Amino acid sequence: MTVSPAAPGDEYAQSLEARGMPALPAAPARDRGEGPFERLVLRGATVIDGTGAPPWGPVDIVVENGRITGLHAVGVPGRAINPERRPGAGTREIDCHGKFVTPGFVDAHAHIGWPAHAARGAQPRADYIYKLWLAHGVTTVREMGSINGLGWSLSEKARAASHEIAAPRLLVHAYFPAVNDMLKTIHSPQQAREWVQGIAARGADGIKFFGGAPSLMRSAIEEANALGLRTGCHHAQQAVGRANAMTTAKWGLTSAEHFYGLPEALFDDRLLQAYPADYNYADEYMRFSEAGFGFHLAAQPGSDHWNKVLDQFLELDFTFVPTLGIYDANRDLMRARRADWHDEYTWPGLWDSFQPDRGAHGAHWFRWSTADEIRWKQNYQLWMAFINAYKNRGGRVAAGSDSGFIFQTYGFGFVRELEMLQEAGFHPLEVLRAATSQGADLMGLGDEIGVIDVGRVADLLVHDVNPLADFKQLYGTGAMRLDDENGGGTVWQRALRYTIREGLVYDVAELLADVRDMVAQERERLAAQ
């Protein structure tokens, strides 16, 4: 049977479907969320605005038709509020006295599932993924790769924009098909430019690279910049010898994803990593074991070359999306495997995809050892030192989760990223900035989202407790605390109460209950087979 050529951006999805790994079904119609309202008023909030400014309040926030139209300082802590200072009544009001309001979170590296997981079990539903994101405060997602197909992803983006589905705002980056170990259909610079023009015409927001021949990748980046598209690259080991993160930054790449390509930019006594003679990239254990050794060979923190590389990236206004959390299991497998949320919130087929398997991506545990974990812990120290120094010098670092792999569940993985940015040396206010305004700036939406200010889109999170005090309380499970008010025992305390996207109010408890029900029903379905 002759297969019609795929539209630009749909090539990889078509190849996966032909091998029995189809795209996810589209999300069902929205069944949660109130509004948007003609006039929504949040009363008495303490505001953490996403710029890095410390909390202030009490503040009444007025939202009209999905945008912030008023920020009214209505008093000072410890004194009664003068009613005359307050704005008029809303058609819907939320009592935020004693609560904290932040911008909605921006997940700068995410995937709406991964069709290849279908080889190991039923894929998660799209609404399962969306509701977990919303339940963890994620109101904007940068979809890196559109592995379900660009057409599918653009359709979901439009449905999310119109609030037809309960989902974050979606920015869609298409996979650049130019690497042999995934799919290569582009073979010349002219084809690369035409492909970029094709995805731009379809409405893509950007491109996700895994590397490629320098002539192809550079041509695509140049064309993307000319057309106003953003670009990000996972500098895969198969391609990094020809173009590391510094190389592509000089070509005009927007951001480096994960850490790949950065150690190579920091090498000062070699060009390539010292792989053992029996290394094979197709062996997932070897791939991830050796990946934890790159920073050991690089220029060390504080050295002349290390500082030179920092300064060069700063001059290029480059962005790093480190996705620290997605590799967390590499340094402590047992912790990641036994996380509190897996029992109730991890989709059974997703759980199956995490298990050891020689042929599955990120399932490399069949030989994972104490030595591997030690190597990765040391790798993290060096990696985090660079990312923290880059932030300290004014460089842009955005929070991204890359969840759906390596024991990281959607939503929960984003919160883990916040914890690990704090571990890297970020003050909690700097973490929040990376998770809001810095991600918005990366996407070219810095004037619309990521900051609480008049005129901005009303993407807002209402927290019962100060999220800066402990990011663990952002997990959907909450964090375990002593229940002193009721005479002892323990209680799971959760910070986030409402996620507001463009004025539409989602009750987090309802979203989490929906996810638990989906997981339970899927387990019942599997048990009945």
Side-chain angles (χ1 to χ4, degrees), residues 371-389:
D372 287 311
E373 292 192 354
I374 292 170
R375 177 183 288 185
W376 267 90
K377 287 173 183 175
Q378 295 167 343
N379 193 62
Y380 263 107
Q381 292 172 355
L382 298 167
W383 179 17
M384 287 175 165
F386 186 92
I387 294 300
N388 190 48

Side-chain angles (χ1 to χ4, degrees), residues 387-443:
I387 294 300
N388 190 48
Y390 192 66
K391 174 266 300 178
N392 288 344
R393 297 191 188 197
R396 187 181 303 107
V397 177
S401 68
D402 196 27
S403 295
F405 307 94
I406 317 180
F407 291 104
Q408 292 297 336
T409 302
Y410 302 97
F412 293 94
F414 186 79
V415 176
R416 184 58 181 151
E417 184 70 10
L418 306 188
E419 290 189 293
M420 294 185 72
L421 286 169
Q422 184 174 1
E423 180 186 342
F426 287 49
H427 183 277
L429 280 170
E430 295 172 333
V431 174
L432 187 70
R433 184 170 171 264
T436 56
S437 59
Q438 294 288 276
D441 288 343
L442 164 65
M443 298 178 190

Side-chain angles (χ1 to χ4, degrees), residues 229-315:
L229 301 185
R230 306 276 165 147
T231 53
C233 184
H234 169 155
H235 294 81
Q237 289 99 320
Q238 293 297 89
V240 74
R242 295 190 286 181
N244 62 42
M246 180 61 73
T247 312
T248 55
K250 290 178 178 178
W251 291 345
L253 185 75
T254 308
S255 65
E257 313 299 307
H258 319 303
F259 65 92
Y260 305 104
L262 178 54
E264 289 81 2
L266 288 165
F267 288 166
D268 58 358
D269 64 349
R270 67 189 67 236
L271 175 65
L272 302 174
Q273 185 170 332
Y275 293 112
D278 63 347
Y279 179 86
N280 188 326
Y281 180 68
D283 183 315
E284 284 289 294
Y285 169 76
M286 286 189 176
R287 172 181 173 178
F288 280 98
S289 178
E290 290 300 319
F293 199 54
F295 283 106
H296 295 71
L297 303 174
Q300 295 302 291
S303 66
D304 290 343
H305 186 64
W306 192 82
N307 283 310
K308 177 183 176 182
V309 170
L310 274 172
D311 290 339
Q312 286 179 312
F313 279 124
L314 284 167
E315 290 170 7

